[in-house]
Amino acid sequence: MAKKAVASLQTGSKRLTKVVKMVKSPKSGAYTFEESIMDPDKVNDFLNKK
């Protein structure tokens, strides 16, 4: 299950997005957070990737 928390970041003329994804560990069952700053067009690919 992915938790989508997106914040828009602007640096100069390039628009970037910060994405936070909640990932469940298969070993312990604990949740960890995976963060990335990327182009807004690639957000859905990042969230759908396992």
Side-chain angles (χ1 to χ4, degrees):
M1 175 149 181
K3 180 179 180 181
K4 188 174 181 181
V6 179
S8 295
L9 304 171
Q10 289 186 347
T11 56
S13 63
K14 193 166 194 174
R15 185 181 159 106
L16 299 173
T17 303
K18 180 178 181 181
V19 184
V20 180
K21 180 178 175 181
M22 192 166 65
V23 180
K24 187 172 184 177
S25 173
K27 293 181 183 177
S28 65
Y31 286 95
T32 59
F33 294 95
E34 197 174 305
E35 296 184 20
S36 182
I37 296 176
M38 63 182 68
D39 188 34
D41 297 333
K42 299 178 183 177
V43 171
N44 287 332
D45 293 334
F46 176 75
L47 292 174
N48 292 332
K49 181 179 69 171
K50 285 205 170 197

